[in-house]
Amino acid sequence: MTRQPLTEYREIGRYQCLGHDSFGPFKIAGGIQKGYPDESELQAAVEFYKNL
């Protein structure tokens, strides 16, 4: 069974936080934004999800 591509959607919320990035040239230096997401950001994401 093949699935039809999603053609439209309704956004019900959005959450953003920093995250460890080790893509491309950042990999040489070991990445940037180390330590993210931290515990408080993870808890905020859980609360956001619960309130959707």
Side-chain angles (χ1 to χ4, degrees):
M1 175 168 64
T2 59
R3 296 176 71 181
Q4 296 296 321
L6 185 62
T7 57
E8 70 179 65
Y9 64 92
R10 193 181 100 218
E11 185 174 307
I12 59 173
R14 184 179 296 195
Y15 178 79
Q16 282 183 236
C17 68
L18 294 175
H20 182 84
D21 186 359
S22 62
F23 180 76
F26 302 124
K27 191 174 209 169
I28 295 170
I32 58 173
Q33 300 170 341
K34 295 177 186 177
Y36 289 98
D38 61 17
E39 188 62 35
S40 66
E41 291 169 328
L42 292 174
Q43 186 60 39
V46 169
E47 290 300 316
F48 173 79
Y49 176 75
K50 287 179 180 179
N51 292 320
L52 283 178

